[in-house]
Each structure stands twice: as C-alpha cells, then as structure tokens.
Amino acid sequence: SILQEIKESENNDEAIALYEAAKAIATGKPRPGHKVLGAGTFRDGRPLWEKLAREYAEGAGDNGTARESELYRQSGMEVVGIEHLADTSEHYLRTAGGAMASLFFVHI
C-alpha cells in the first residue's frame, strides 16, 4: 500500500509522523504516544490522507474505487479536488476520515 511505501522509503521523522497520522485516521485508533484521535492527527495526516482519497475517488489501481465516484466519472465528471474534513460527523470521520471528493463536468 502507499502508506507502507512511504513508511519504508522515507526514513525520517516527518515521513513517519505523516504515515502514523494517516494510519490513525484510517484505523480510528490514536497514534503511538497519543490517547485520542484528535484534530492534530487530522492536521498532520492531511497531505497523505488527501492523496489516498484522490486515488480512491479516481480509481487508481484495481484495489477498489468509490462506486459513486466511478458512476459520476462515467458520466463525464472529473475529480477536481478533495475537501479535507468536509464532513466532521462521527460516522463520516470513521468511514471516510472526513474527506470528500469534488467532481465537476469540466468539458465544454
């Protein structure tokens, strides 16, 4: 997975912190040394979490794609961005880490 690649390829504190924050968002479990999954985790994991969300929405690879996003893309829409913490409800944070894809018709 991309998370494992980052953890293994970048042997520095910043990359490990990014990996641990994104992993915590994905699993819903606090990072090592932390007691809660809080705002700092979502802030620290944002760059990687947005990249993962974009890959999921765009269907990168064969490991699954958001079916709703795939349906929109088949209708001519494109993923133009990922909104970080677009929905901060407890359920959405657990299921999508708060990220939401923005799709638009971009062809004229």
Side-chain angles (χ1 to χ4, degrees):
S1 77
I2 191 169
L3 292 176
Q4 195 62 34
E5 288 176 27
I6 287 175
K7 187 172 183 183
E8 291 173 359
S9 69
E10 302 283 340
N11 192 12
N12 63 52
D13 292 340
E14 187 175 318
I16 291 172
L18 180 62
Y19 167 83
E20 293 296 344
K23 181 179 173 185
I25 294 168
T27 62
K29 297 178 182 174
R31 295 181 275 180
H34 294 259
K35 294 182 183 199
V36 297
L37 182 65
T41 299
F42 287 92
R43 178 197 63 228
D44 294 346
R46 180 178 182 168
L48 181 55
W49 194 251
E50 287 178 345
K51 183 175 182 176
L52 290 167
R54 180 177 280 276
E55 284 186 7
Y56 181 68
E58 290 178 341
D62 295 327
N63 293 334
T65 303
R67 290 184 183 181
E68 183 178 5
S69 176
E70 187 174 346
L71 179 65
Y72 287 125
R73 289 184 302 108
Q74 288 173 355
S75 298
M77 298 182 90
E78 292 184 24
V79 176
V80 295
I82 300 296
E83 304 300 323
H84 182 63
L85 297 178
D87 185 339
T88 57
S89 66
E90 185 178 337
H91 172 75
Y92 202 77
L93 288 173
R94 273 195 321 264
T95 59
M100 189 177 296
S102 294
L103 294 100
F104 292 100
F105 287 106
V106 294
H107 302 288
I108 297 177

